[in-house]
Amino acid sequence: MPMMMLKGNESTAYAAKLARVKVVPAYPITPSTVFPEKVSELIANGEMDAEFLPVESEHSALSAAIGAAATGVRTMTATASQGLAFMHEVLYIASGMRLPIVMAIGNRALAAPVNIWADQQDTMAERDSGWIHFYAETNQEALDLTIIAFKVAENENVLLPALMGMDAFVLTHTMEPVNVPEQKDVDAFLGEKKINYPVLDPQKPATFGAFVFPEHYMEFKYSQHIAMEHAKKVIDESFNQFYMTFKRKYSKVSGFMVEDADVILVTMGSMTGTARETVRKLREKGEKVGLVKITVFRPFPREEILEITKNADIIAVVDRNISPGFAGAIFTEIAASYSNVKNKPRILDFILGLGGRDVKIENYEEIYERAKKAKRGKFQEIQWIDVDEKSVKEVEGSL
């Protein structure tokens, strides 16, 4: 495998090339613009046999992807933040039509105020749209998970679109060494794209995305739900096959020093590396702390979360998103997963790193100290970390 220094966006572009994607509709938006730039360069250089469609908006980009995927070809696009929000209605159409489109997302804060830096609010706002969700910690993972996303999405028992999130600038624009697989190995892993769903064909006219009455609509939504449940097993199988082929191991949920941990941190995305280093430092001081990393958010890995965290006293979820008026998305899902479990750990939520604010070891050390206090009975369920209370009052005073 050749080693290349790649930005996260470039990793996903090479993944599209290796997956032999045939149609790439895209509209530029920071921090995902490098993806269509790199794809168009690969096509212009003759390195990638595909059609690049420069469209007039993100809404059009996904609409064009739907049209392409409906003909049976492998299709991919990319966007971020406001662009993903602009796609909102089309996301449901893609999943409802059961089209295995893959989309790379540069996870970026949503306006207002305007902010182009990292948090996961944009994809968390779309978690109910019927898309499979993968999240990368590194640029290597961005490439690998994009390839795996095609394997899962195109499985005949799934047939759902998938997105792969990577934090804005932390990954999208930062260069890291990436092992780029050989084309023959990716071909063997993905295989020829199977047309195992009805497609647009002028010789066989058909209606797609038709009007459906109440008598049948629920059955369509139920089938999507069942497909998402099927995706759990398919993801595991795809991860195992990827490991056998490329010797890089993935799982929906992975643990680090969790076996005897009293406090377990839960993270997702690029801030996991800082959390891992914090756990190492705290372990050297004799603290019984561990880390759980979520790689797949949809379908939510409920069973794996319950198994890997069941012996902890405290689960300290670190959310890089917020549902105003309550909590972060990961906390909500984990709390719900434990709703019918007796003798469950105390679950806390820590909101951190919104709008690209640096996530530092000191932040995780503070989270750990607060979690230990909760173990002794003093706790606030939802807490914000690294917030300037004086600035908050000034903002409120200016409204």
Side-chain angles (χ1 to χ4, degrees):
M1 298 180 185
M3 182 74 76
M4 300 177 67
M5 290 297 293
L6 297 177
K7 300 174 183 177
N9 283 324
E10 292 173 332
S11 290
T12 56
Y14 275 99
K17 171 182 177 289
L18 291 165
R20 297 191 185 276
V21 168
K22 292 302 179 186
V23 179
V24 181
Y27 185 83
I29 180 172
T30 302
S32 291
T33 303
V34 174
F35 172 83
E37 288 177 346
K38 190 63 181 179
V39 166
S40 60
E41 177 187 316
L42 292 170
I43 293 172
N45 291 343
E47 299 177 58
M48 182 176 178
D49 180 17
E51 185 76 23
F52 177 70
L53 303 178
V55 294
E56 67 273 17
S57 72
E58 292 88 356
H59 189 287
S60 299
L62 188 53
S63 297
I66 286 171
T71 68
V73 300
R74 194 166 280 161
T75 309
M76 183 176 170
T77 187
T79 193
S81 186
Q82 310 299 135
L84 183 63
F86 194 18
M87 289 178 175
H88 177 72
E89 65 169 324
V90 199
L91 294 170
Y92 285 81
I93 294 171
S95 61
M97 290 179 66
R98 307 293 295 276
L99 297 172
I101 300 162
V102 171
M103 179 157 53
I105 308 293
N107 283 122
R108 167 192 150 185
L110 286 161
V114 176
N115 180 294
I116 61 172
W117 291 277
D119 66 34
Q120 295 161 348
Q121 194 72 42
D122 51 0
T123 48
M124 289 299 101
E126 304 296 350
R127 64 188 182 273
D128 299 330
S129 61
W131 285 59
I132 296 165
H133 285 224
F134 296 93
Y135 289 86
E137 178 187 347
T138 65
N139 292 349
Q140 182 70 65
E141 291 191 8
L143 185 147
D144 293 346
L145 292 173
T146 301
I147 293 172
I148 292 167
F150 283 107
K151 182 79 170 177
V152 175
E154 293 173 3
N155 185 280
E156 62 184 354
N157 293 315
V158 179
L159 289 178
L160 288 171
L163 63 83
M164 194 291 301
M166 52 184 170
D167 289 340
F169 294 100
V170 181
L171 296 185
T172 60
H173 285 65
T174 301
M175 302 192 79
E176 295 178 355
V178 175
N179 272 316
V180 179
E182 299 288 349
Q183 184 66 65
K184 61 181 178 58
D185 295 328
V186 177
D187 288 344
F189 175 72
L190 288 180
E192 289 286 335
K193 187 177 187 301
K194 296 178 181 178
I195 311 300
N196 45 24
Y197 55 93
V199 297
L200 290 170
D201 183 350
Q203 303 305 316
K204 299 176 182 178
T207 298
F208 294 83
F211 185 84
V212 174
F213 286 92
E215 290 83 356
H216 302 292
Y217 182 82
M218 278 190 67
E219 283 69 26
F220 276 90
K221 303 315 288 183
Y222 181 63
S223 71
Q224 278 182 266
H225 173 71
I226 294 301
M228 192 66 81
E229 289 295 310
H230 287 163
K232 294 179 179 179
K233 180 180 179 182
V234 174
I235 290 169
D236 288 336
E237 293 171 346
S238 299
F239 281 162
N240 288 336
Q241 187 178 344
F242 191 89
Y243 176 72
M244 295 298 292
T245 305
F246 303 103
K247 304 307 177 188
R248 289 193 290 276
K249 193 171 183 61
Y250 291 97
S251 56
K252 296 195 289 289
V253 172
S254 56
F256 178 70
M257 296 186 175
V258 295
E259 291 76 12
D260 63 340
D262 294 333
V263 176
I264 291 180
L265 305 173
V266 179
T267 61
M268 188 169 73
S270 66
M271 64 181 182
T272 301
T274 307
R276 193 179 292 110
E277 185 60 26
T278 306
V279 168
R280 286 196 187 98
K281 288 185 63 176
L282 291 172
R283 280 284 180 169
E284 289 172 359
K285 298 177 182 178
E287 302 290 347
K288 297 175 73 173
V289 58
L291 171 68
V292 165
K293 166 187 168 181
I294 296 176
T295 298
V296 178
F297 184 79
R298 275 291 182 271
F300 191 73
R302 177 180 180 274
E303 296 80 7
E304 290 85 350
I305 290 285
L306 293 178
E307 179 61 29
I308 203 168
T309 61
K310 65 182 180 182
N311 295 322
D313 295 322
I314 304 290
I315 300 174
V317 179
V318 186
D319 267 304
R320 204 167 195 171
N321 68 89
I322 180 64
S323 178
F326 187 48
I330 301 174
F331 167 82
T332 305
E333 304 271 337
I334 293 178
S337 297
Y338 266 104
S339 61
N340 295 316
V341 177
K342 294 182 179 179
N343 303 318
K344 56 190 173 186
R346 181 165 285 172
I347 306 169
L348 307 176
D349 193 23
F350 297 91
I351 310 302
L352 176 65
L354 301 187
R357 182 161 297 183
D358 284 345
V359 177
K360 299 168 285 191
I361 287 178
E362 304 92 269
N363 299 142
Y364 283 117
E365 289 174 336
E366 180 182 352
I367 288 170
Y368 177 65
E369 289 302 318
R370 293 193 188 190
K372 283 202 302 183
K373 289 181 181 179
K375 184 180 175 182
R376 296 193 294 267
K378 299 178 181 179
F379 77 100
Q380 182 179 340
E381 194 175 46
I382 301 159
Q383 303 181 46
W384 289 62
I385 299 295
D386 196 23
V387 171
D388 185 340
E389 296 288 350
K390 181 180 178 181
S391 294
V392 171
K393 291 178 182 179
E394 290 175 352
V395 170
E396 289 179 342
S398 67
L399 296 178

